């Protein structure tokens, strides 16, 4: 009897110790976060944003790294020969970096055996604004044969969930950044992209499409005219934008080229609030 009581007492002591240690850890983390927030608010007050400097920094970055423009604009088919176009995750990250006085956080939390909850948040310490986006992501998808299939665990965590989190990060950043600055940066990216999309670069993109199983007929079907007839700047930008969207996980190859065949009344995919519909 005494032995049992002694063991229970020991277990209780261990539980109390573990709980106290955990609470102390959480308390330290909360304190560190509070100090960090205070420093960020203080810095934002001392050094307010200078939009002329931000614009120059964005331009300097594109001049130094022109290939960044390739990953900054995405294009996604929505059916009926139409596409949506906008700033991608790389562009959003660049904007957030130059914007300053902000914090971006994200997470993936298990809800049940079939779903996870994705969250992304943008905190602007210059004006105290917080924008959060969250939603459920299923481990199931509809295959090409129309049947529901479950993602392999490693692909779901390392590819599918990461791509969906990136989209939410992009959305919270673009919802929080000045609309004028977003428009300015998108124009810069498009101008730079038009300059670098020479025949050599276009051939590299076409070769890249071929490595992921996309045929030249599919490419020409998406662009809307045969390459032999000559592609104008808008055609080249459209092609580069689709390649960027596939590389970043914005859309899969199957999704992209299935939508090329959809009718004109096909709905525009959700989560593209800043996108522009193009023909």
């Amino acid at each position: 009897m005494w032995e049992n009581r002694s063991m229970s007492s020991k277990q209780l002591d261990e539980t109390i110790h573990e709980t106290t240690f955990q609470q102390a850890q959480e308390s330290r983390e909360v304190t560190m976060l509070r100090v960090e927030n205070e420093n960020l608010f203080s810095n934002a007050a001392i050094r307010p944003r200078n939009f002329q400097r931000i614009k120059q920094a964005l331009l300097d970055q594109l001049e130094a790294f022109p290939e960044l423009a390739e990953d900054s604009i995405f294009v996604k088919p929505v059916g009926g020969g139409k596409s949506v176009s906008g700033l991608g995750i790389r562009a959003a990250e660049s904007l957030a970096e130059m914007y300053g006085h902000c914090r971006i956080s994200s997470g993936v939390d298990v809800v049940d055996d079939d779903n996870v909850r994705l969250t992304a948040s943008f905190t602007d310490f210059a004006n105290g604004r917080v924008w959060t986006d969250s939603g459920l992501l299923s481990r199931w998808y509809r295959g090409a044969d129309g049947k529901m299939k479950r993602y392999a665990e490693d692909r779901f965590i390392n590819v599918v969930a990461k791509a969906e989190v990136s989209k939410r990060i992009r959305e919270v950043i673009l919802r929080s950044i000045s609309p004028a600055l977003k428009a300015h940066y998108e124009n810069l990216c498009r101008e730079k992209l038009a300059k670098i999309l020479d025949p050599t670069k276009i051939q590299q993109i076409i070769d890249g499409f071929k490595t992921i199983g996309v045929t030249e007929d599919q490419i020409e079907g998406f662009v809307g005219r045969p390459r032999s007839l000559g592609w104008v700047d808008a055609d080249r930008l459209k092609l580069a934008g689709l390649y960027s969207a596939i590389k970043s996980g914005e859309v899969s190859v199957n999704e992209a080229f299935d939508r090329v065949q959809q009718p004109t009344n096909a709905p525009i995919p959700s989560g593209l609030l800043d996108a522009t519909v193009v023909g």
Side-chain angles (χ1 to χ4, degrees):
M1 185 69 176
W2 171 254
E3 182 180 357
N4 288 337
R5 289 174 59 189
S6 176
M7 288 177 64
S8 297
S9 176
K10 181 180 179 181
Q11 290 172 346
L12 179 60
D13 287 343
E14 289 176 348
T15 301
I16 292 173
H17 176 75
E18 290 174 1
T19 302
T20 303
F21 178 77
Q22 183 178 358
Q23 290 174 341
Q25 286 286 93
E26 292 175 352
S27 178
R28 280 194 291 270
E29 291 173 2
V30 170
T31 300
M32 291 174 63
L33 183 60
R34 183 182 298 114
V35 171
E36 181 183 352
N37 287 344
E38 289 174 354
N39 287 337
L40 288 167
F41 276 119
S42 177
N43 287 336
I46 295 171
R47 303 178 182 84
R49 291 191 179 104
N50 183 314
F51 283 98
Q52 289 300 328
R53 290 181 182 174
I54 294 172
K55 286 168 59 179
Q56 188 60 50
L58 289 168
L59 177 60
D60 290 344
Q61 186 181 61
L62 278 177
E63 292 295 336
F65 307 101
E67 62 275 9
L68 177 62
E70 293 181 56
D71 296 325
S72 293
I73 303 294
F74 75 84
V75 176
K76 293 172 63 171
V78 294
K82 295 187 179 297
S83 304
V84 290
S85 175
L87 292 171
I89 180 60
R90 297 287 86 81
E93 290 171 343
S94 295
L95 281 166
E97 178 185 3
M98 301 306 177
Y99 206 55
H101 304 319
C102 59
R103 177 193 287 123
I104 303 158
S105 59
S106 63
V108 179
D109 299 306
V110 176
V111 175
D112 52 40
D113 290 342
D114 295 324
N115 300 281
V116 296
R117 180 172 296 279
L118 310 178
T119 57
S121 179
F122 181 99
T123 303
D124 188 340
F125 292 93
N127 58 25
R129 184 184 185 189
V130 179
W131 194 289
T132 301
D133 186 15
S134 67
L136 294 178
L137 177 65
S138 174
R139 295 175 184 270
W140 294 84
Y141 69 100
R142 190 173 299 279
D145 57 2
K147 296 180 180 179
M148 296 303 295
K149 300 180 180 180
R150 187 180 176 91
Y151 287 108
E153 185 67 12
D154 58 340
R155 176 172 176 76
F156 180 76
I157 296 298
N158 297 318
V159 178
V160 179
K162 282 187 176 181
E164 291 300 318
V165 167
S166 291
K167 295 177 189 177
R168 293 185 183 276
I169 291 173
R170 180 199 65 208
E171 290 302 310
V172 296
I173 293 174
L174 295 182
R175 280 288 165 270
S176 305
I177 298 289
S178 159
L181 184 62
K182 284 186 296 186
H184 174 76
Y185 187 56
E186 184 169 352
N187 287 336
L188 284 181
C189 289
R190 290 184 184 278
E191 290 172 3
K192 177 61 68 175
L193 192 53
K195 291 178 182 178
I196 65 177
L197 288 178
D198 56 20
T200 300
K201 176 60 69 175
I202 289 298
Q203 186 59 54
Q204 290 175 356
I205 292 174
I206 290 174
D207 291 341
F209 270 117
K210 290 178 180 178
T211 65
I212 55 177
V214 178
T215 68
E216 196 148 344
D217 285 343
Q218 286 178 299
I219 292 171
E220 291 179 343
F222 169 70
V223 172
R225 76 181 78 196
R227 190 181 181 190
S228 59
L229 294 181
W231 286 341
V232 298
D233 285 349
D235 299 329
R236 291 189 284 269
L237 287 168
K238 189 176 179 182
L239 184 65
L242 177 61
Y243 190 52
S244 172
I246 291 174
K247 286 194 301 178
S248 66
E250 183 71 42
V251 66
S252 70
V253 173
N254 289 338
E255 287 173 337
F257 290 96
D258 283 349
R259 287 174 186 166
V260 170
Q261 307 299 325
Q262 286 182 359
T264 55
N265 61 352
I268 294 176
S270 61
L272 297 175
L273 302 181
D274 273 328
T276 301
V277 179
V278 296

